[in-house]
Amino acid sequence: TVGDSWESYFYTYGEGQLATIGFDVVAGAEQKHKGYRNCRRVILFVDASRVREDGTPADDDISQLLSLEQVLVARLQEEAVDCRFVGRMTYAGMRELVFQVEDARQFDKTVSAWTESVVAYKTEVKRETGWTFFDTKIRSSAAHQQQISDRKTIDALVHAGGRKGVSDGLRLSQ
C-alpha cells in the first residue's frame, strides 16, 4: 500500500552533501508498528557524471527516478504484493525506496522482474528484518518535524502574498 499522506525533510551531511527524505506520515506516527516485519530497500545508483556537487542527481535523473518509482509501486499493486511503501531517500547519487513487506518472496520476485527493465541505473536490493531502518533513517526527528512545520508556515505566508513557496523551489516531494 501507499499512504495518502507523505511529508519530506532534508538535511546536510559531510562537506555540503544533501539528503532529501520523504516518508509515509502514518508509518511515521506509529508508536508500535504492526505487521510488515521485513524491510526491503530498493536502491538505484545514478552515474557519478550526472550527480551534482551536493550529491543530488541532475534534474533529468530526478524525473526518471520518480517515473521508475511509480512503475515499481504500480507493479507491486497490480500483483497485490502485501507491502507498504514507507519512505524514499535521495542522497550521494542514489535513490533509495524503502518498503515494509509481509510477503517477502512475492515482493522479491516482483522487484527482480522490475529491475530487469531498469537499464539506465544500477540497482540493488537490501534485505533486513524489522522496522529498524525506517525508525532510525526515515522517521522524522523532532528537529525534522519542526522543519516540516516551519516550511508549511512559510509556504502559507508566501502563498497568501501571491509568491512561489519554499517547497516549490526545492525538490522535497520527489
Side-chain angles (χ1 to χ4, degrees):
T1 62
V2 180
D4 293 331
S5 182
W6 278 61
E7 278 295 348
S8 299
Y9 63 90
F10 65 94
Y11 61 88
T12 56
Y13 65 96
E15 296 182 23
Q17 300 296 292
L18 178 67
T20 304
I21 314 298
F23 65 98
D24 178 317
V25 172
V26 172
E30 292 173 350
Q31 293 301 313
K32 183 173 169 89
H33 304 291
K34 294 179 183 163
Y36 302 100
R37 63 187 179 276
N38 300 293
C39 177
R40 293 295 187 268
R41 297 163 40 209
V42 180
I43 307 167
L44 296 122
F45 297 87
V46 176
D47 184 88
S49 67
R50 296 188 319 267
V51 176
R52 296 183 185 125
E53 218 173 277
D54 67 1
T56 59
D59 289 341
D60 289 345
D61 285 294
I62 289 289
S63 297
Q64 289 178 0
L65 293 167
L66 182 57
S67 178
L68 288 168
E69 173 186 310
Q70 292 167 341
V71 168
L72 175 58
V73 168
R75 276 198 192 175
L76 291 165
Q77 290 174 328
E78 288 167 9
E79 296 186 24
V81 177
D82 193 6
C83 65
R84 288 175 71 182
F85 180 34
V86 295
R88 79 173 62 82
M89 302 171 65
T90 307
Y91 66 102
M94 296 183 289
R95 173 73 146 230
E96 192 162 343
L97 310 175
V98 182
F99 295 86
Q100 289 300 136
V101 179
E102 198 60 45
D103 186 351
R105 196 165 79 202
Q106 182 62 32
F107 181 91
D108 292 343
K109 179 181 170 187
T110 301
V111 169
S112 179
W114 171 82
T115 58
E116 290 176 14
S117 70
V118 178
V119 294
Y121 304 96
K122 177 185 169 218
T123 60
E124 181 179 338
V125 178
K126 298 228 180 216
R127 296 164 177 85
E128 301 173 20
T129 303
W131 285 79
T132 303
F133 186 85
F134 176 83
D135 289 337
T136 60
K137 302 291 185 183
I138 302 289
R139 183 193 298 262
S140 57
S141 66
H144 297 133
Q145 284 295 334
Q146 185 63 52
Q147 181 190 111
I148 291 166
S149 177
D150 290 350
R151 186 183 73 235
K152 287 179 178 180
T153 300
I154 291 168
D155 283 353
L157 291 169
V158 170
H159 181 69
R163 293 194 170 168
K164 209 172 191 184
V166 172
S167 298
D168 297 331
L170 300 172
R171 294 178 316 277
L172 296 178
S173 64
Q174 297 178 357

